[in-house]
Amino acid sequence: MGIQLNSGWDLAVENRNGQLTLVVEVKRKTHTSPQWVAQLRRNIFAHGTFPKAPYFLMVFPDRFYLWSLIRRRANPPTPLRPLL
């Protein structure tokens, strides 16, 4: 597993075969709603910045939002509990 630092994302993780598996976007905003985050994700993707990875993670100081892009459905994100 490796980490790409020049991918255009805040963090990009590859599997052991060198395939991009996860891209991470880190933001400073707190108290985000799933609807607000879904709109931000749509805006990012609308500008042609679509990750070539099966998983997309948005990290905020108080929440994590993870999408599986394998299905590519427009479901609202589910907030995950902080991993502390």
Side-chain angles (χ1 to χ4, degrees):
M1 181 166 31
I3 297 175
Q4 294 181 6
L5 298 176
N6 60 351
S7 66
W9 298 98
D10 293 324
L11 183 68
V13 180
E14 298 175 338
N15 66 15
R16 66 185 77 184
N17 298 323
Q19 298 170 323
L20 188 60
T21 304
L22 169 72
V23 293
V24 181
E25 187 70 20
V26 179
K27 300 294 183 189
R28 299 174 88 178
K29 185 174 176 61
T30 58
H31 308 292
T32 57
S33 71
Q35 294 79 17
W36 185 88
V37 174
Q39 183 61 47
L40 176 60
R41 176 181 171 257
R42 280 191 292 274
N43 289 345
I44 290 171
F45 293 170
H47 293 288
T49 313
F50 198 81
K52 305 277 191 269
Y55 298 98
F56 178 66
L57 178 67
M58 291 191 75
V59 175
F60 296 87
D62 57 348
R63 294 186 186 206
F64 294 89
Y65 296 88
L66 176 66
W67 286 268
S68 170
L69 301 177
I70 296 169
R71 295 184 314 229
R72 300 198 188 224
R73 294 191 321 197
N75 293 337
T78 303
L80 304 176
R81 294 181 188 208
L83 303 173
L84 299 176

